[in-house]
Amino acid sequence: MEKKQLEQFKGQARLPKSAVPKRYDIKLKPDLVNCKFEGAVEISVDVLADTSFIVLNAADLVVDPKSVRFSTDQTGSKLVLEALEVELLGEDEILVAEFPRNLPLGVGVLSISFQGTLNDKMKGFYRSTYEHNGEKKNMAVTQFEPADARRCFPCWDEPAFKATFKITLEVPSELIALSNMPAINEKMDGTVKTVCYQESPVMSTYLVAVVVGLFDYLEDHTSDGIKVRVYCQVGKASQGKFALDVAVKTLDLYKKYFAVPYSLPKLDMVAIPDFAAGAMENYGLVTYRETALLYDEKHSAAANKQRVATVVAHELAHQWFGNLVTMEWWTHLWLNEGFATWVSYLAADSLFPEWKIWTQFLDESTEGLRLDGLAESHPIEVEINHASEIDEIFDAISYRKGASVIRMLQSYLGPECFQRALASYIKKYACSNAKTEDLWGVLEQESGEPVNELMNSWTKQKGYPIVSVKVKGQNLELEQSQFLLGGSPGDGQWIVPITLCCCSYENRKSLLLQVKSETLDTKEFLGCSISEGSLADTGVWIKLNVDQTGFYRVKYGEELAARLRYAIEAKYLSATDRFGILDDSFALCMACHQPLVSLLTLMGAYREELEYTVLSNLISISYKIARIAADAAPELLDNMKQFFINLFQCSAEKLGWDPKEGESHLDAMLRGELLTALAQFGHVVTQNEARRRLNAFLNDRNTPLLPPDIRRAAYVAVMRTVSTSDRSGYESLLRVYQETDLSQEKTRILGALASCPDPDIVLEVLNFILSSEVRSQDAIFGVQVGIEGRETAWRWLKDNWDYISKTWGSGFLITRFVSTVVSPFASFNKAKEVEEFFASRTKPAIARTLKQSVERVHINAKWVESIQKEKHLAEVVQELAHREY
Ligand code: BES
Ligand code: ZN
């Protein structure tokens, strides 16, 4: 092929549209012993423009050039063109086939035979391993999103090239072989069977899936007869029951909500022992990590149960939002992920109202706000120029900010209008592709509101506003500016749907803040006369962003802030608002807009808090404060910890160690988090009790003394007391790790090991997670070091970077190593050291994460300096630590 001709296809973000696929006929023959596969595709393509080239994606495949041919019989006489030349361009991941003449316009069939390796990288067509009757076995699994179908068969691997898929598998006859559609024909031939699957409706390549291995399953049906199955390791079928129930109910729910039934004849959900993400929504064949699908009555915790329900609800939401209606390009990934995240809460709330899941939604917004408070954030709609950039945008912006701005819009338009619009959007774009503006168009039409303009300000620019509110004379003054954790304000501006209530939840107002600042007459706008002077009256308070449905932060003037503290203590405010006030105050403090003493004083107002979500956030904020105090004011750390212990002790004592008959799901989760916090902060009574209960557990894994909800607490407590001279607790946990066959138990242990204060033990733990005893999908859980371990972790990361980069470098898990190890630092020098180390080691897949992590180190460093300048910190902390509750 001439160089010049090839050149035109290189370095392009998208494939040319001169020929487009309509139907794939794919045959795959995996060899599970030698970890190889063979395959052949016949792709019906529509040739739309005069060309003698066909360009499609292929990567890591060996293509037999002689097999590449194009045939048509449009005019009744068959024409077969053999490719003159076939080039595979590695960097662009494309295959270019040149034919001896221009291809006839219209439909023809492109055939290609190829071979590949069942890789160990958890993407493309890969192998996962499991044990059966004590023997180690391989299974073959696919994971194609975002752009790895091309590693399994040559294809137009972009979401907009939808086609139908007819799949045939040739596999060992004793194994179960699954694909998107039901099998329609199975032929046995000795030790091999050939399974043909029904042709799929049109779909994108990233949703194609195949699983081949040994499984048990459970089965149920939806009310309109769709067969739903959960497949898991042989002997574990009963652990699939909970997910199966959730799936059946959720399918019925979505059918009503989207006003369109589930579009395939069956749904299979499979637990895969090695899995990079949490789960993957392949059309009709959803794959999961074991921890996200299996629930064990005896050994899973309430938090595990909730995780299973929300992951199932999320993946099933994609069957509509994503699979039926698909993003046109990865720039609109958030339409998939933001929506599925938001809808999963809707489903969980309907199935389990007692979980108060919308209160827990605030964890999503907080994480979205946290990432989007960085200068190195990105807009929800983000430009993508190369496949290697896609992985990194499966982040808190696409998922959590995405879900949060949807929630904000829903609450602005009202749930009924919103649902009607969604249903008509799904109907309008079913079996095709949509962009962000297509959704806004339908919502705008249904609501009559300027949705496009409003939402563009949230999806096309990064960041979000902080709204300052003050009472000045008779007026309420509102002003927006871009909030950045790095301190100085950015220059973004938004159309902000403001809600506020004054003195009671009945007195609720709303407005759109379209400009930088606005002054409202309190009497006219609020219907009650609040003036600067009246703020001394205790009953008066104003809360903005009611129920925290808006994606912004609020800064109150001093008097308003004091009134809110009082309202919290007097229990006037809802849990969501208590959460929001605390969270905004924490963010302001971190950005050095507010002294730490104000935040600590506010935290004191939560001493009688009992609500799970609020306390859970209070706990995670106190961890972060303790971390920064270790750098900023180490001499105050003991008093600080004592204050936190005081804060949590009252609710911890109320809940005790043992589950109460009929207690709520939220109390079960709260108990674990409270005890973990007490253990982390060095509460000796908790640490001793944990040891006693762990010993009982070591003697009998079914002891009632250590139910799953408090196991993590006990593991952390024990690790806090382990040292090189007393390793017994550590070794016991390793034994539990090795003996359990429940993935959730393994994860629980991994997450606790590195919290040990002894750096030598931490190093041992970090080396352990690189060993063959830990599946590579799980290693990242073991990197959670305490403040004492961060230097060890950094040295370890540097020493092992080549290995880590080689093992995890081709997926998104690598970013977690970088952010987890780097972000806890809090000095400018360390930031420089990190940048220097990575200067010669960075690559596209970690570039964004690295910049974000370094920015966090800068933010921490500034925060340290600001705390060190605070005058009354020592007195306040001293007072808080010794206050009687
Ligand atoms: N589509 C994603 C899976 C995915 C993630 C593919 C990253 C490629 C790269 C799936 O729907 C998903 O979002 N999974 C989540 C779980 C969900 C409950 C938030 C995950 O894997 O963490
Ligand atoms: Zn998703």
Side-chain angles (χ1 to χ4, degrees), residues 143-148 206-207 275-282 286-287 289 292 307-308 310-316 318 330 333 336-337 340-341 344 364 390-391 393-395 399-400 812 816:
Q143 166 61 41
F144 290 166
E145 192 181 16
D148 294 317
Y206 79 88
L207 294 166
F275 199 82
M280 175 63 213
E281 70 267 25
N282 313 301
V286 183
T287 43
R289 260 186 198 236
R307 170 83 180 152
V308 169
T310 47
V311 179
V312 170
H314 175 110
E315 303 312 332
L316 299 196
H318 279 313
W330 298 104
L333 171 71
N336 268 13
E337 298 305 348
T341 301
S344 72
E364 306 275 351
I390 310 173
D391 263 339
I393 61 164
F394 284 82
D395 64 1
Y399 281 78
R400 299 169 187 252
F812 49 84
R816 304 265 299 270

